[in-house]
Amino acid sequence: EVQLVESGGGLVQAGGSLRLSCAASGFTFDEYVIAWFRQAPGKDREGVSYISSSDGSTYYADSVKGRFTISSDNAKNTVYLQMNNLKPEDTAVYYCAVSGAGRVAGLIAIRYDYWGQGTQVTVSS
């Protein structure tokens, strides 16, 4: 069974930083992508960033470019999302997800089969 467990969310003031973690287990895809999505109250789920197992390439949504960094520690089966210069509009529940479709998955949510439980990020002004 694939399991994804997020942690690291919390309450932070605007301009502050948080580091989210996604501990992954139970999958052995030859090529996969792990992504971060977020969903704010009253809004649709949106893709934030992904990292590919094939070459470590990363992608960021325009809204977080220059502020967020995705990385992985394969030995720990963990993906991180370093979030700097947080803004109130970053407030959301953040989810990690895994797709066996490789880079084709991109930030297209329906191509992700496994999701974590989410971790709340709240940014106050």
Side-chain angles (χ1 to χ4, degrees), residues 39-60:
Q39 187 162 21
K43 295 185 177 181
D44 293 332
R45 180 174 52 191
E46 64 174 341
V48 176
S49 180
Y50 71 74
I51 186 166
S52 173
S53 68
S54 62
D55 59 2
S57 62
T58 59
Y59 177 85
Y60 300 90

Side-chain angles (χ1 to χ4, degrees), residues 10-87:
L11 175 64
V12 66
Q13 292 183 330
S17 298
L18 286 172
R19 189 191 194 195
L20 306 183
S21 298
C22 174
S25 63
F27 66 92
T28 56
F29 301 118
D30 185 54
E31 181 178 349
Y32 62 90
V33 170
I34 296 181
W36 288 95
F37 293 82
R38 66 186 182 185
Q39 187 162 21
K43 295 185 177 181
D44 293 332
R45 180 174 52 191
E46 64 174 341
V48 176
S49 180
Y50 71 74
I51 186 166
S52 173
S53 68
S54 62
D55 59 2
S57 62
T58 59
Y59 177 85
Y60 300 90
D62 288 342
S63 60
V64 305
K65 285 181 180 177
R67 299 188 297 120
F68 291 10
T69 303
I70 191 169
S71 62
S72 64
D73 184 338
N74 292 334
K76 297 181 179 179
N77 296 319
T78 301
V79 172
Y80 304 96
L81 186 68
Q82 179 67 45
M83 306 186 295
N84 297 327
N85 191 25
L86 283 161
K87 304 176 180 180

